[in-house]
Structure formats: structure tokens, C-alpha cells
């Protein structure tokens, strides 16, 4: 910027004051073209590198968010809507782009360029340099003043966006229910109202952004006008005090050409100030999620399972939810032998799922100790999990089974599918195990989905099986098929814990532990008792 302004001022001064022709100024024009090309190249480089840095940071942030969510697990994230979580990974991380790609680089430019121009102007005329110096703080002052309001508005916009994502996802997942109750038209109006709320908050953000730009344009225009008036009156001889009488055409043009560039970085920073507000608004949602404590991975190596499976021990285990206001487990003491098939019985809310969640690593005890083979639970290596509503992803049957062991070959997948009873219905599908399922396993019945989940668990070959109501909602025939598949699929000698209140499941187990209000009230087959 400084070199370009100096060359332009030199060319005009030589042409006007000294009468130099084009031939005499050829070298100066060549240098001017070179400087202008270099300036354009540097601007392009800044944009390209800033965007590359922003994309890299966004990618790392998404990876960190997803890894943290995976570590937190479904129980710790139960109070957060899945729509707001997906919005955090997609839209709110995307809201960081402008901050890193444009705002931060522009911050550096806004500090360095005005300082360089002030020093260059000071070498020509100290009074003109002082005008620039005293006008410069007005822009950051008003930018900060308006930015405080923009941050609050942008935060509300991000919160509205998260709620809108969750609202829309709820309605998509409940389309069948809405249709059956003839509520689709009312739902369309609700979605439109929620979207309009997001439109209103977005327009508020834009209004603040445009207002800040207008204010900054006004002050920069006033400051440039003051410099122009000073240079003009000094050159025509109306000013004689200070350095005005020594001002030449070259120095006057040099200062005047630099004046817009003195304020341009600050004005550009103001244009990108809404990027900062958007990033801060997104951070208000992302930071609490990232700061939510996740379970720690065992630092000591887990002892390998013995030939009979895994031994499990609970000692005075307490677990509470809602800040301790609701007790899930209250002083549980249990010893489970390797290779046992244990059924956890009791009414809903008795603590069966919570006990399984402890072994699966979804939660940690508030008090007491849980150990597997004498060490802290290591569910990633030790446990296979089957819930009452297994999630099947859009993809082939084989892909869904291979989820537990991505490196498993086709023969191993077929063997697991056969043991779990998947092949009994897969052979009737158009492409067998390569048949593509719809979202959430669309196209399969509940019993078939459970058998796919069992095949997935069998493929892992884990010494500890955790099953949470695997036969809930199934008819007796489907329940029998699932239990038969479980009998074949469970790794030889594996310890099996299954939460259920169905008589057939309780009869299948070697030992039945009954829970109520978070306590063990009956243990049929406890250590020291005949089963």
C-alpha cells in the first residue's frame, strides 16, 4: 500500500511539477505495475491461506466434538436433543469459518497497516500523521460498542438455530404419528413459525452488522475529509502554521493517497466483525458440550479374560441422576461368576439399565467400585451390547453386522449371521446380506433387527454380553427366536447379563437378580446359594 501510494505520488509530481513525459516515467510505471501485482498476489494468498486454516480448524473441531460425544455416550447426552447435537457439529462449527478465515487475519492487518502508514506519513508531515492517529481510535471504540450488542444477538440466533434443528428432526421422525392424528397441517404451521423466528433473529444480526458498517464508514469518511482539507489548504497557501508551509505536491499526494488505506483495514475488520459475533455465539453452545466431563479410559492394562469369561464385582455402588435428586442405584453389592447367565429383573425404574450402563461405560458410579476381572471396566474390548431398540444404519445387512469388527471377512460375517438367525430371513431378501436397509433398519421387523444386533455382538467375540430388554415388544414366537439366537451367538463361556421381566428370559438364565428402587431385593442363585 505504501509503495503504491509513493509511486503514484511520484509519477504525478514529476508529470505536473517537472513536466516529465511518458518516456521519462517508464521505469516508475513498471515499478507501479509490479507493486500492484504483488499487492494482488498477497491479498489472494491471504484469502487462500486463511480459508485453508479455517477448514483445517473446523475439521479438527468436528473430530474433537464427535470423539467427545462418543466418549460421553448416550446416557450423558440424554438431556440434549439429537437435533441440537447435529446442529452443533454442522452449522455451529461452520459458524467458526469466518472468524478464522477472515476476522483473525484482518486483525493482524488492522494493526500492522495503519502503523506502517502512520510512520510513512510522519516522515512527510507530522500534523497530517497526528490527524490520522487521533481519528483511528474512534473506529475500534464504536466497533467494540456495537460488537457487544452483536454478540448477544448472534448468541440468540445460534440458540434459535439449535432449537429449530431439534424441532424439525422431531417432526420428521414422527411423520407417521402426525399423519394418523391428522396433525400434519398444524405441524407445518409450527415449523413455519419456528423458521420465521430464526429469520427474525438472523435479520437482527444483519441489522447490527449494517449499523456498525455505517457508523464506521461515517467516521473514516470524516477523518479522510479532514486530511484532504488540511493537504488542500496547505498546498494552495491558506495554511502557514506548523509544517503546512513545507508541504509539497509529492508529500501531499502521498499522504492523501495513503489516507483511505489507513482506514480501509479497520473498515474491513468492521465488515468481518459479525464473523466474530457468530463464532462467539456458536462457542456458547459448543464449549459447554466440550467441557462436559467424559469417562476416563483405564490407564492400566486390563487383565485378559480367563477361560470361563469375566468375573464382575459391585461394592457399595451408588448412582444418582438430576444432581442427586433421583436415586438409580443405592448400595449395590454383587458378585457374578465368570460364564454365568444372569437375568436382572424388576419393575421399570428399578435400576436394571443403570447397572448395565455402568458395565458398558456409559456412566460412572457416584460412590463405590465396579470391577471386571479385578480391574476397571474396559467396555471397548470386553463387552458386547444389545439394547431393546438396536440402531441399524442405512446400508447393507453385512455392513451393519460388520460394525463391531470392520476388518472381518465375509465368511466370519456369514458365520455370525447364521448363529444369530439372520440368514433365516436374509436368504429370502433380494441380495441376501448385501441387501440395502433403509434408515433405522426400515424393511426389517423388530425381531429381525434384534437378531442383526445379536450377529453384530457375536462378531465382536466379547467375553461379556450386556443385553437391555432385547425381547421387549416382541411376540412370543419372535422372543423364542431371539433367545435361540442368543444361545448360539454368545461367545463360549461368556458372562451374560440380560435385563428383562419376561418369564421366558428369566427361565433361560442361570441366575435371577431382582432389583427394586435401586436395591437388590432377591438373588436366586447367588454365590453360596444353590441356583
Amino acid at each position: 500500500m505504501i509503495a503504491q501510494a509513493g509511486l503514484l505520488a511520484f509519477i504525478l509530481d514529476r508529470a505536473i511539477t517537472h513536466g516529465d513525459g511518458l518516456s521519462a516515467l517508464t521505469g516508475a510505471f513498471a515499478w507501479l505495475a509490479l507493486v500492484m501485482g504483488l499487492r494482488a498476489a498477497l491479498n489472494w494468498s491471504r484469502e487462500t491461506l486463511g480459508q485453508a486454516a479455517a477448514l483445517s480448524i473446523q475439521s479438527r473441531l468436528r473430530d474433537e466434538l464427535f470423539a467427545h460425544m462418543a466418549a460421553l455416550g448416550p446416557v450423558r447426552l440424554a438431556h440434549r436433543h439429537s437435533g441440537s447435537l447435529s446442529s452443533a457439529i454442522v452449522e455451529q462449527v461452520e459458524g467458526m469459518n469466518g472468524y478464522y478465515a477472515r476476522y483473525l487475519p484482518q486483525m493482524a492487518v488492522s494493526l500492522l497497516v495503519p502503523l506502517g502508514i502512520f510512520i510513512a506519513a510522519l516522515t512527510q508531515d507530522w500534523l497530517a500523521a497526528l490527524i490520522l492517529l487521533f481519528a483511528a481510535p474512534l473506529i475500534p471504540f464504536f466497533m467494540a460498542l456495537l460488537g457487544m450488542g452483536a454478540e448477544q444477538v448472534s448468541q440468540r440466533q445460534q440458540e434459535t438455530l439449535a432449537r429449530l434443528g431439534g424441532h424439525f428432526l422431531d417432526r420428521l421422525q414422527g411423520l407417521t404419528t402426525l399423519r394418523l392424528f391428522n396433525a400434519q397441517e398444524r405441524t407445518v404451521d409450527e415449523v413455519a413459525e419456528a423458521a420465521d423466528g430464526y429469520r427474525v433473529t438472523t435479520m437482527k444480526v444483519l441489522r447490527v452488522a449494517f449499523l456498525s458498517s455505517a457508523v464506521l464508514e461515517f467516521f473514516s469518511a470524516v477523518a479522510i475529509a479532514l486530511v484532504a482539507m488540511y493537504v488542500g489548504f496547505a498546498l494552495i497557501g491558506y495554511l502557514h502554521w506548523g509544517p503546512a508551509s513545507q508541504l509539497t505536491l509529492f508529500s501531499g499526494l502521498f499522504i492523501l493517497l495513503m489516507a483511505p488505506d489507513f482506514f480501509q483495514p479497520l473498515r474491513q475488520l468492521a465488515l468481518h466483525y459479525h464473523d466474530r459475533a457468530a463464532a462467539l455465539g456458536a462457542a456458547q453452545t459448543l464449549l459447554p458440550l466440550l467441557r462436559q466431563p467424559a469417562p476416563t479410559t483405564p490407564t492400566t492394562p486390563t487383565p485378559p479374560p480367563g477361560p470361563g469369561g469375566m468375573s464382575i464385582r459391585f461394592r457399595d455402588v451408588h448412582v444418582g441422576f438430576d444432581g442427586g435428586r433421583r436415586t438409580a442405584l443405592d448400595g449395590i453389592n454383587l458378585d457374578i461368576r465368570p460364564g454365568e447367565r444372569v437375568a436382572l429383573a424388576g419393575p421399570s425404574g428399578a435400576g436394571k439399565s443403570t447397572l448395565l450402563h455402568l458395565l458398558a461405560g456409559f456412566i460412572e458410579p457416584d460412590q463405590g467400585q465396579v470391577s471386571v476381572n479385578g480391574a476397571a471396566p474396559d467396555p471397548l474390548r470386553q463387552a458386547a451390547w444389545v439394547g431393546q431398540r438396536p440402531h441399524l444404519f442405512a446400508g447393507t445387512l453385512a455392513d451393519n453386522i460388520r460394525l463391531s469388527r470392520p476388518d472381518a471377512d465375509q465368511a466370519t460375517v456369514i458365520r455370525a449371521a447364521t448363529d444369530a438367525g439372520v440368514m433365516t430371513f436374509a436368504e429370502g431378501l433380494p441380495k441376501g446380506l448385501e441387501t440395502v436397509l433403509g434408515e433405522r433398519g426400515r424393511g426389517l421387523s423388530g425381531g429381525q433387527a434384534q437378531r442383526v444386533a445379536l450377529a453384530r455382538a457375536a462378531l465382536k467375540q466379547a467375553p461379556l454380553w450386556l443385553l437391555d430388554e432385547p425381547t421387549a415388544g416382541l411376540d412370543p414366537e419372535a422372543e423364542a427366536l431371539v433367545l435361540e439366537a442368543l444361545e448360539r451367538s454368545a461367545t463360549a463361556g461368556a458372562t451374560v447379563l440380560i435385563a428383562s421381566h419376561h418369564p421366558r428370559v428369566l427361565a433361560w438364565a442361570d441366575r435371577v437378580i431382582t432389583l427394586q428402587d435401586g436395591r437388590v431385593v432377591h438373588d436366586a442363585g447367588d454365590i453360596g446359594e444353590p441356583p
Side-chain angles (χ1 to χ4, degrees):
M1 289 178 179
I2 296 171
Q4 181 178 311
L7 285 167
L8 282 170
F10 173 78
I11 290 171
L12 290 171
D13 177 61
R14 297 300 299 182
I16 296 172
T17 306
H18 301 86
D20 289 353
L22 183 61
S23 58
L25 297 173
T26 302
F29 275 113
W31 278 106
L32 179 62
L34 180 63
V35 167
M36 292 176 72
L38 180 60
R39 182 175 174 181
L42 289 173
N43 280 328
W44 176 84
S45 299
R46 184 186 66 178
E47 290 288 336
T48 303
L49 295 174
Q51 192 62 241
L55 291 174
S56 174
I57 291 170
Q58 285 177 268
S59 177
R60 288 172 55 191
L61 181 55
R62 281 197 176 96
D63 289 344
E64 186 176 346
L65 272 171
F66 195 80
H68 191 65
M69 288 181 190
L72 287 171
V75 178
R76 295 181 185 85
L77 292 173
H79 65 287
R80 297 178 181 271
H81 198 287
S82 55
S84 65
L85 292 176
S86 62
S87 174
I89 290 180
V90 181
E91 283 90 356
Q92 289 167 16
V93 172
E94 192 65 32
M96 298 287 183
N97 181 277
Y99 179 77
Y100 292 109
R102 295 183 292 272
Y103 180 79
L104 280 184
Q106 192 61 38
M107 277 278 290
V109 173
S110 300
L111 290 172
L112 295 174
V113 171
L115 178 63
I117 290 177
F118 169 74
I119 294 172
L122 194 62
T123 62
Q124 304 298 317
D125 189 289
W126 61 265
L127 186 56
L130 285 180
I131 295 174
L132 294 175
L133 181 65
F134 285 116
L138 292 174
I139 292 179
F141 172 75
F142 282 97
M143 190 163 59
L145 199 63
L146 292 166
M148 288 186 287
E151 180 181 341
Q152 295 175 354
V153 174
S154 183
Q155 183 178 343
R156 287 196 294 270
Q157 182 204 24
Q158 293 292 340
E159 292 171 355
T160 304
L161 178 61
R163 287 197 301 270
L164 179 62
H167 184 92
F168 191 61
L169 181 62
D170 267 345
R171 272 57 187 175
L172 281 177
Q173 292 178 339
L175 279 178
T176 303
T177 304
L178 295 173
R179 177 87 180 194
L180 290 173
F181 287 95
N182 196 28
Q184 59 267 36
E185 292 184 4
R186 184 169 68 252
T187 302
V188 169
D189 294 336
E190 291 174 355
V191 171
E193 184 179 350
D196 192 62
Y198 179 64
R199 178 191 64 81
V200 170
T201 56
T202 302
M203 293 307 296
K204 286 181 180 178
V205 173
L206 291 176
R207 278 202 299 271
V208 173
F210 286 130
L211 177 62
S212 61
S213 297
V215 170
L216 301 178
E217 289 287 347
F218 170 76
F219 281 105
S220 61
V222 169
I224 293 170
L226 286 175
V227 174
M229 289 173 62
Y230 168 73
V231 170
F233 285 137
L235 287 177
I236 61 177
Y238 283 7
L239 293 179
H240 301 284
W241 44 272
S245 56
Q246 282 83 39
L247 197 69
T248 64
L249 179 62
F250 168 78
S251 56
L253 285 173
F254 186 36
I255 294 169
L256 196 57
L257 288 169
M258 287 192 298
D261 284 333
F262 181 86
F263 294 101
Q264 180 60 30
L266 296 173
R267 291 157 63 190
Q268 198 69 30
L269 183 64
L271 292 177
H272 298 319
Y273 205 74
H274 71 280
D275 290 324
R276 174 184 178 273
L280 289 174
Q284 297 298 320
T285 302
L286 297 177
L287 285 176
L289 178 60
L290 287 170
R291 288 171 178 165
Q292 187 173 344
T296 54
T297 305
T299 53
T300 57
T302 306
M310 313 294 286
S311 63
I312 300 170
R313 174 170 290 185
F314 291 84
R315 285 292 176 266
D316 193 29
V317 174
H318 296 256
V319 176
F321 295 111
D322 301 330
R325 293 189 297 272
R326 183 168 61 89
T327 300
L329 295 179
D330 186 9
I332 293 291
N333 288 283
L334 280 175
D335 287 284
I336 297 173
R337 293 184 292 262
E340 274 195 298
R341 299 192 303 193
V342 179
L344 303 174
S348 297
K352 304 187 297 295
S353 296
T354 304
L355 193 144
L356 293 178
H357 291 163
L358 284 169
L359 292 172
F362 294 158
I363 56 175
E364 292 175 323
D366 300 328
Q367 181 183 327
Q369 185 180 16
V370 180
S371 63
V372 178
N373 270 18
D378 185 6
L380 295 180
R381 290 191 293 171
Q382 294 171 339
W385 172 270
V386 179
Q388 58 180 299
R389 288 186 297 273
H391 187 92
L392 300 184
F393 296 89
T396 66
L397 268 172
D399 289 339
N400 274 279
I401 295 172
R402 198 179 276 114
L403 188 68
S404 59
R405 272 181 63 193
D407 59 342
D409 56 37
Q410 188 69 9
T412 307
V413 173
I414 292 174
R415 187 163 53 250
T418 303
D419 290 342
V422 174
M423 296 306 296
T424 58
F425 65 85
E427 289 172 350
L429 297 175
K431 296 183 179 179
L433 289 180
E434 298 305 317
T435 301
V436 177
L437 303 178
E439 186 180 9
R440 294 180 175 272
R442 183 176 178 84
L444 298 184
S445 67
Q448 290 172 340
Q450 285 291 4
R451 280 182 274 171
V452 173
L454 287 174
R456 183 188 293 166
L459 190 64
K460 187 175 182 180
Q461 297 179 343
L464 173 62
W465 282 54
L466 307 173
L467 302 99
D468 188 7
E469 299 278 5
T471 61
L474 302 183
D475 58 66
E477 184 180 351
E479 183 182 42
L481 290 172
V482 168
L483 288 176
E484 289 174 11
L486 177 59
E487 184 78 39
R488 292 191 302 268
S489 300
T491 308
T495 305
V496 179
L497 274 76
I498 179 168
S500 180
H501 54 267
H502 290 200
R504 187 174 296 191
V505 176
L506 302 184
W508 174 84
D510 302 326
R511 176 180 173 190
V512 178
I513 299 172
T514 305
L515 301 174
Q516 187 169 350
D517 298 327
R519 297 185 180 92
V520 176
V521 295
H522 188 255
D523 189 350
D526 195 1
I527 294 176
E529 294 184 12

